[in-house]
């Protein structure tokens, strides 16, 4: 039984920072690729960042480049998303997702999802 729980969302002013965390259970994290997705109001779900089993990161959206970073701790079974220089367009519900794979570029679905955490960027 795989479970993912996100935390760390909240209200932040433009230019501010947030760190989101995802705690996984029911799996051995070092065998899984982990990714962050987001859904903005009235928009389709969008991939943000992915981290492979080897620790290599892949940006799914250009808007995150230079501002967001992803990291993982396989001992604690956690993955984090550090978000800097936040913009109002980053407002969304953020989800972590995982699958058994080695590469973020594989054409494969993510079968396991968390419930999401709300991020609101507003002045």
């Amino acid at each position: 039984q795989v479970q993912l729980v996100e935390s760390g969302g909240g209200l932040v002013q433009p230019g501010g920072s947030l760190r989101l965390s995802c705690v996984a259970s029911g799996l051995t994290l070092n065998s899984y690729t982990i990714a962050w997705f987001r859904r903005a109001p009235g928009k389709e779900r969008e991939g943000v960042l992915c981290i492979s089993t080897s620790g290599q990161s892949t940006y799914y959206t250009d808007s995150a480049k230079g501002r967001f970073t992803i990291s993982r701790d396989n001992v604690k079974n956690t993955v984090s998303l550090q978000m800097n220089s936040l913009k109002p367009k980053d407002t969304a519900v953020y989800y972590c997702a995982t699958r058994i794979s080695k590469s973020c570029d594989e054409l494969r679905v993510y079968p396991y999802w968390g419930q999401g955490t709300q991020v609101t960027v507003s002045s």
Side-chain angles (χ1 to χ4, degrees):
Q1 183 177 347
V2 176
Q3 291 183 305
L4 303 173
V5 180
E6 303 95 336
S7 63
L11 175 64
V12 64
Q13 293 187 354
S17 299
L18 282 175
R19 182 186 293 272
L20 307 183
S21 295
C22 175
V23 180
S25 62
L27 55 80
T28 302
L29 192 60
N30 61 8
S31 299
Y32 287 75
T33 291
I34 310 293
W36 286 93
F37 293 79
R38 65 187 180 187
R39 191 193 304 275
K43 303 294 184 180
E44 296 293 320
R45 186 167 58 206
E46 175 188 39
V48 182
L49 261 170
C50 175
I51 186 165
S52 71
T53 57
S54 65
Q56 297 287 86
S57 62
T58 298
Y59 289 93
Y60 284 158
T61 178
D62 288 341
S63 68
K65 293 180 179 179
R67 301 189 299 126
F68 295 3
T69 56
I70 190 170
S71 61
R72 64 192 296 162
D73 186 331
N74 292 336
V75 175
K76 297 181 178 179
N77 261 19
T78 61
V79 63
S80 297
L81 179 67
Q82 178 66 46
M83 304 186 295
N84 300 323
S85 302
L86 284 163
K87 305 174 181 179
K89 68 178 181 179
D90 296 317
T91 296
V93 177
Y94 284 72
Y95 303 87
C96 62
T98 189
R99 69 189 186 193
I100 299 177
S101 67
K102 295 185 179 296
S103 173
C104 296
D105 299 324
E106 295 179 1
L107 297 177
R108 190 175 300 173
V109 300
Y110 286 90
Y112 306 111
W113 295 79
Q115 293 297 308
T117 183
Q118 176 71 49
V119 172
T120 303
V121 184
S122 176
S123 60

